Amino acid sequence: MSMDSDPVERSILDRLAQCSTSAVADTKHESVETLASDIEPVHSDCTFAGTVRTVVLDPSALWAPVQTLDTAHEDEVLVVDTNDNVEEAVWGELLSTYATAIGVRGMVTNGAVRDIAGVRDLGFPVFARAVTPHGPSGRDEVERNVPVTVGGTSIDSGDVLVGDESGVVAINRDAVEEVTTAAETVARTEREVDRLIDEGQSLEGAFDDAGMD
């Protein structure tokens, strides 16, 4: 998916951000994939939904994705592919500060990050494979806005990611509206189960009455 595609409407992203990643995954839609469990939030306030902008860094000379961040748009989430290299941090407090200022919604990487206290204080959502104080040594980004594989999942610029404390799910751009509606249905069904349980219904009975498969 090219970044020249029509952007995902903010209202859709805001609706997705109100859905848990579990609800999105439970749609079992063919266009939804869950990133591997080793891509983890670095603090407890890591909830987002945003349109993907990708960058590939050379794992032999990692560098912060400054050029890509300078081209990023509001409501996007940066996906930084380091080919699973976690020896050097590619993200930290300063980049989070700038990303917050321009309206970027989050950052996901299969590499490492640092400055966790500062990132947490900003409330900026960051997901990574590892944390290290060791900074980057290289200077060059390799490619931008190309398909990447992060957390075992193929992700392209223009797709949508949703993240929370449970992890990250990816949605193919062409199915975003359909998946959003389905995730909201899942969430409503779960709330109905909660209500029935509060009323004294058995778990199995609540599942049946709410229509949960």
Side-chain angles (χ1 to χ4, degrees), residues 138-174:
R139 289 282 179 178
D140 296 325
E141 297 180 9
V142 179
E143 295 179 282
R144 282 181 273 171
N145 300 330
V146 296
V148 298
T149 298
V150 172
T153 298
S154 178
I155 303 169
D156 202 351
S157 289
D159 289 344
V160 168
L161 292 190
V162 183
D164 61 21
E165 288 184 83
S166 293
V168 181
V169 290
I171 308 170
N172 184 278
R173 171 63 181 87
D174 295 334

Side-chain angles (χ1 to χ4, degrees), residues 16-69:
L16 272 174
Q18 295 300 311
C19 297
S20 68
T21 54
S22 298
V24 176
D26 282 352
T27 66
K28 298 180 173 58
H29 196 284
E30 62 183 3
S31 295
V32 174
E33 292 191 63
T34 300
L35 275 63
S37 58
D38 61 352
I39 307 296
E40 298 182 307
V42 302
H43 59 82
S44 61
D45 189 21
C46 283
T47 299
F48 74 85
T51 305
V52 169
R53 178 175 293 266
T54 66
V55 58
V56 179
L57 302 183
D58 183 350
S60 67
L62 293 176
W63 186 243
V66 173
Q67 295 167 314
T68 297
L69 191 54

Side-chain angles (χ1 to χ4, degrees), residues 21-199:
T21 54
S22 298
V24 176
D26 282 352
T27 66
K28 298 180 173 58
H29 196 284
E30 62 183 3
S31 295
V32 174
E33 292 191 63
T34 300
L35 275 63
S37 58
D38 61 352
I39 307 296
E40 298 182 307
V42 302
H43 59 82
S44 61
D45 189 21
C46 283
T47 299
F48 74 85
T51 305
V52 169
R53 178 175 293 266
T54 66
V55 58
V56 179
L57 302 183
D58 183 350
S60 67
L62 293 176
W63 186 243
V66 173
Q67 295 167 314
T68 297
L69 191 54
D70 273 338
T71 64
H73 298 149
E74 194 173 19
D75 296 333
E76 291 184 339
V77 54
L78 262 63
V79 177
V80 182
D81 183 4
T82 70
N83 196 31
D84 294 326
N85 186 306
V86 295
E87 299 307 312
E88 302 173 10
V90 296
W91 192 270
E93 182 178 1
L94 292 180
L95 270 66
S96 295
T97 299
Y98 184 74
T100 300
I102 64 175
V104 167
R105 291 191 173 212
M107 179 269 187
V108 177
T109 183
N110 52 8
V113 297
R114 64 179 184 175
D115 303 332
I116 303 307
V119 174
R120 180 175 57 245
D121 288 345
L122 286 166
F124 184 74
V126 172
F127 291 75
R129 281 189 65 227
V131 174
T132 178
H134 188 234
S137 60
R139 289 282 179 178
D140 296 325
E141 297 180 9
V142 179
E143 295 179 282
R144 282 181 273 171
N145 300 330
V146 296
V148 298
T149 298
V150 172
T153 298
S154 178
I155 303 169
D156 202 351
S157 289
D159 289 344
V160 168
L161 292 190
V162 183
D164 61 21
E165 288 184 83
S166 293
V168 181
V169 290
I171 308 170
N172 184 278
R173 171 63 181 87
D174 295 334
V176 171
E177 293 187 35
E178 182 179 347
V179 170
T180 300
T181 299
E184 290 172 333
T185 298
V186 169
R188 282 195 299 271
T189 301
E190 291 178 346
R191 289 194 295 271
E192 177 65 6
V193 170
D194 286 342
R195 185 187 69 80
L196 292 169
I197 291 172
D198 286 343
E199 292 179 353

